[in-house]
Each structure stands twice: as structure tokens, then as C-alpha cells.
Amino acid sequence: MSSTTDKIKGATNEAMGKAKQGIGEATGSDRMKGEGAVQEVKGKGQQAMGDAKDAAKDAMDRAAAATKRATE
């Protein structure tokens, strides 16, 4: 999965989780609040994975550029 896909799925899960928590709060459903909390955390994890992939790609690009400069 690409970093962008991870970030999009993460944002979606985070938003849906918050919505579920709000519905659970409004209806008094502890189950819905719990599901929402789990989904929100899952979304934050997916976004963090996307950020980590971006950071790894940036580091690899910098290393490749440094290697290229060193061999020129």
C-alpha cells in the first residue's frame, strides 16, 4: 500500500471512529463508543504508517542523491 493510500484510509477510519463515538454517546451505547474508539486508533495507526513510509522514501532518496554526488 502506498503512503497516500495509508493516509487516506487512516483519515477515513479516524473520522468514522469519531462519528461512531458520537453516535454511541448520543444513544448511550457503550458498544458503539468502544467500536468507534478502536476504529479511531486504527486510523491513527494507518496515518502513522503512511508518514513512516514517506520518511523512509525521503531518506532513501537523500542517500541515493548523496551517493550519486560522491561518485561524480
Side-chain angles (χ1 to χ4, degrees):
M1 221 179 301
S2 74
S3 64
T4 303
T5 303
D6 287 330
K7 289 178 183 183
I8 291 169
K9 285 185 176 186
T12 301
N13 274 320
E14 193 172 345
M16 292 297 294
K18 287 180 182 182
K20 282 183 180 179
Q21 288 179 70
I23 293 169
E25 192 69 40
T27 61
S29 172
D30 289 336
R31 179 174 171 238
M32 184 68 82
K33 286 191 284 188
E35 287 177 10
V38 168
Q39 190 167 1
E40 182 180 357
V41 170
K42 177 182 176 183
K44 288 180 180 183
Q46 287 171 316
Q47 287 188 32
M49 180 62 77
D51 291 340
K53 286 180 181 179
D54 281 343
K57 182 182 180 313
D58 289 344
M60 288 174 43
D61 290 345
R62 285 192 306 274
T67 301
K68 184 177 178 184
R69 282 192 307 273
T71 60
E72 291 178 343

